[in-house]
């Protein structure tokens, strides 16, 4: 605990257990330096550590007992691994004298964590700890991933620094204040010149920016202006530039916009910055566009698409050095074309934010939240249809931020993320926008927020179903099966009130704004459970012929809710045409 504190760790998220009593005693002794946030499920602790790391750039730390406690961490740790967040997991282990005897809860977590962890070690000697804590944290920072230390019970309760074996010499860890490790982000000058040559020769340039460019807003906008390039944003990179910027065409992929898809089809040069976007079918077809990629990790440069110029650098520093080499463009017809397309797209999205719909349109619910939330609000989001609504109807402006499980796309991190981020930013408005399925998985953590007096706000998009899977089944041509929960639907507002927080259940659009306003104004945790139309489709920006054909076939094969779905689709279409 002393060593963690010297690395400026101020918070550990976790649950006690008899496999970590020694570590808990260390936390008790150093509670003035390291705060312990007691959660209700270890998976949430790992999500909290990941959310803390994403929102602060500092290492997140989670703690779990031996056996099942450590196993529960894995989902949240894979979220950190795939989204490149620095996280340290500390787990317990049975006493060294009984290892290998199939003792109770004997799970060799160091072996279990081999795939998820960049650094993974079982402590067998107390004298190892200072140095190995250093190495674990340095590795997590340097490789932007997970480090894991598992500590047997007998080592935990041994005297600090005890050396029970003949050693090669005393361990002498550095005692100077550690710094957050980050290698030089400057690109090689020859790579920049090569990149500038390709970019200056573009007739139809495009930029694709991701989470690695979240700290480079000014530089992204300056390069976009110089190139006359529309900017597409990955969902984890939604907050790189404002959604009302004249340079952006919004998101990409299943949750993206039609202008972004058309831009990727038309671009002759693509500049990728701070992203290793995995869905290659949404990128330019091989050979149709030249590609320049600014990537911090040389192992990831050029792994998604044939790349003409891979530039290894930090996004902010690389773009800053690139800018003087670019030839500014004036009167760019290419950019103007996509600005016009975005005017139409935004108009189409506005028509779906209709307060007259019954049941409540999920697009309207997000639009109300978007209007009422603060200019520096942090929104966390679960995976599923809610990610579509947030992508298209939560507006990045001012200092707003947005976080979700990007590459893992796990259900349930929205609330744990919000709790960790509220702890890290106590003066800001933090909102978890979650589905009923994801919230139900870790809903006990609302009690965690109440018990720690964290004023997180939760908006539940309640369609009583696993909505994203429902629509994916239909797009594949299958009638829906196993995706709608039986009636009655849950009323999560009663749980919020039982925990001592604010809770409201909303079934009519007219009641939505007052309820959300009350929740945002409440001085503690608050939840608004919104009954939304379960038959509202999260349609992709561009519907392919194959998707449309399979969707129609699913109807013909006995889709049980086809009348309600058809009515919703027809209303959406009429509203778009009418406006």
């Amino acid at each position: 605990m002393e060593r963690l504190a010297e690395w400026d760790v101020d918070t550990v998220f976790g649950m006690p257990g008899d496999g970590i009593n020694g570590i808990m005693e260390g936390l008790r002794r150093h509670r003035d330096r390291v705060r312990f946030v007691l959660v209700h499920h270890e998976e949430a602790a790992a999500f909290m550590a990941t959310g803390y790391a994403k929102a602060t750039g500092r290492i997140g730390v989670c703690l779990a007992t031996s056996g099942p406690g450590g196993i529960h961490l894995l989902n949240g740790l894979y979220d950190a691994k795939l989204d490149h967040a620095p996280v340290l997991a500390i787990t317990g282990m049975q006493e060294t004298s009984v290892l290998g005897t199939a003792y109770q809860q004997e799970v060799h977590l160091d072996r279990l964590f081999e795939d998820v962890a960049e650094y993974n070690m079982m402590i067998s000697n107390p004298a190892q700890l200072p140095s190995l804590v250093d190495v674990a944290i340095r590795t997590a920072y340097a490789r932007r991933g997970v480090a894991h230390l598992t500590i047997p019970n007998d080592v935990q309760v041994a005297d600090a620094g005890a050396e029970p074996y003949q050693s090669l010499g005393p361990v002498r860890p550095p005692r100077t204040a550690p710094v957050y490790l980050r290698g030089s982000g400057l690109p090689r000058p020859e790579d920049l010149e090569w990149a500038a040559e390709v970019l200056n020769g573009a007739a139809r340039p495009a930029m694709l920016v991701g989470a690695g460019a979240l700290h480079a807003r000014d530089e992204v906008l300056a390069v976009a202006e110089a190139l006359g390039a529309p900017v597409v944003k990955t969902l984890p990179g939604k907050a790189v530039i404002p959604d009302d910027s004249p340079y952006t065409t919004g998101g990409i992929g299943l949750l993206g916009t039609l202008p972004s898809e058309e831009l990727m089809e038309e671009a002759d040069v693509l500049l990728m910055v701070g992203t290793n976007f995995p869905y290659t079918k949404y990128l330019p077809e091989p050979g149709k566009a030249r590609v320049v990629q600014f990537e911090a990790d040389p192992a990831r440069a050029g792994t998604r698409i044939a790349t003409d110029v891979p530039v290894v650098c930090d996004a902010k520093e690389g773009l800053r050095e690139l800018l003087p080499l670019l030839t500014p463009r004036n009167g760019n017809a290419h950019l103007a074309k996509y600005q016009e397309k975005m005017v139409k797209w935004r108009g189409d999205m506005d028509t779906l934010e209709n307060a007259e719909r019954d049941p409540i349109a999920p697009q309207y619910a997000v639009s109300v939240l978007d209007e009422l939330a603060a200019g520096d609000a942090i929104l966390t989001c679960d995976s599923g249809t809610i990610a579509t609504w947030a992508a298209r109807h939560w507006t990045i402006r001012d200092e707003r931020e947005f976080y979700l499980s990007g590459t893992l796309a796990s259900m349930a991190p929205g609330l744990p993320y919000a709790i960790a981020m509220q702890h890290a930013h106590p003066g800001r408005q933090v909102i978890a926008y979650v589905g009923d399925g994801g919230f139900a998985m870790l809903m006990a953590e609302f009690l965690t927020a109440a018990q720690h007096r964290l004023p997180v706000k939760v908006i539940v998009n309640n369609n009583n179903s696993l909505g994203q899977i429902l629509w994916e089944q239909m797009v594949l041509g299958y009638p829906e099966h196993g995706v709608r929960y039986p009636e009655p639907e849950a009323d999560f507002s009663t749980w919020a009130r039982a925990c001592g927080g604010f809770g409201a259940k909303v079934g009519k659009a007219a009641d939505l704004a007052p309820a959300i306003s009350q929740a945002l104004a409440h001085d503690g945790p608050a939840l608004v459970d919104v009954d939304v139309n379960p038959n509202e489709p999260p349609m992709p920006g561009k519907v392919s012929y194959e998707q449309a054909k399979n969707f129609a076939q699913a109807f013909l094969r006995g889709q049980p809710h086809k009348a309600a779905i058809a009515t919703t689709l027809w209303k959406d279409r009429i509203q778009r045409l009418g406006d």
Side-chain angles (χ1 to χ4, degrees), residues 27-219:
L27 272 165
R28 185 194 67 80
R29 293 180 183 179
H30 297 283
R31 60 189 180 275
D32 59 328
R33 300 179 70 187
V34 182
R35 179 185 180 186
F36 179 65
V37 176
L38 174 60
V39 305
H40 288 84
H41 195 292
E42 290 94 350
E43 180 181 1
F47 277 135
M48 290 178 192
T50 302
Y52 184 92
K54 287 183 177 182
T56 65
R58 295 165 56 188
I59 194 163
V61 181
C62 56
L63 172 65
T65 191
S66 54
I71 294 169
H72 283 160
L73 292 176
L74 277 173
N75 196 43
L77 295 181
Y78 270 102
D79 185 35
K81 171 186 172 73
L82 296 182
D83 281 355
H84 313 293
V87 167
L88 172 64
I90 303 170
T91 62
M93 179 71 75
Q94 302 308 321
E95 292 185 2
T96 56
S97 61
V98 300
L99 292 180
T101 67
Y103 200 78
Q104 183 187 36
Q105 292 190 343
E106 184 184 342
V107 176
H108 291 260
L109 296 172
D110 52 329
R111 301 176 195 170
L112 183 66
F113 284 29
E114 280 182 356
D115 181 62
V116 76
E118 298 287 345
Y119 184 83
N120 184 23
M121 183 63 64
M122 184 179 80
I123 306 298
S124 57
N125 185 329
Q128 291 176 283
L129 269 169
S131 287
L132 266 57
V133 169
D134 282 357
V135 175
I137 294 179
R138 287 177 183 275
T139 304
Y141 274 126
R143 298 182 183 172
R144 312 302 295 178
V146 176
H148 171 232
L149 296 175
T150 187
I151 309 175
N153 278 334
D154 51 332
V155 176
Q156 292 178 36
V157 300
D159 291 339
E163 170 56 285
Y165 313 110
Q166 182 178 359
S167 70
L168 297 176
V171 176
R172 300 187 184 278
R175 306 303 297 176
T176 55
V179 296
Y180 304 143
L181 294 183
R182 189 173 187 168
S184 172
L186 293 173
R188 298 192 311 170
E190 56 267 38
D191 289 342
L192 279 181
E193 292 173 2
W194 187 12
E197 179 183 347
V198 172
L199 292 167
N200 285 330
R204 300 178 304 280
M207 294 178 66
L208 175 62
V209 300
L214 285 171
H215 64 306
R217 174 178 290 186
D218 291 343
E219 289 75 14

Side-chain angles (χ1 to χ4, degrees), residues 377-452:
I378 299 173
L379 188 78
T380 67
C381 184
D382 272 357
S383 299
T385 56
I386 47 170
T388 301
W389 314 136
R392 294 176 177 172
H393 303 275
W394 170 256
T395 306
I396 296 298
R397 59 176 181 267
D398 302 327
E399 301 304 315
R400 283 186 174 181
E401 297 178 38
F402 176 80
Y403 297 96
L404 82 169
S405 175
T407 307
L408 186 63
S410 175
M411 292 177 66
L415 177 58
Y417 273 17
I419 289 171
M421 293 175 189
Q422 188 73 81
H423 173 77
H425 300 290
R428 293 178 67 176
Q429 192 179 76
V430 183
I431 306 164
Y433 174 55
V434 298
D436 54 296
F439 181 74
M441 287 182 171
L442 293 174
M443 60 187 288
E445 302 311 326
F446 190 87
L447 181 57
T448 301
Q451 291 170 333
H452 290 275

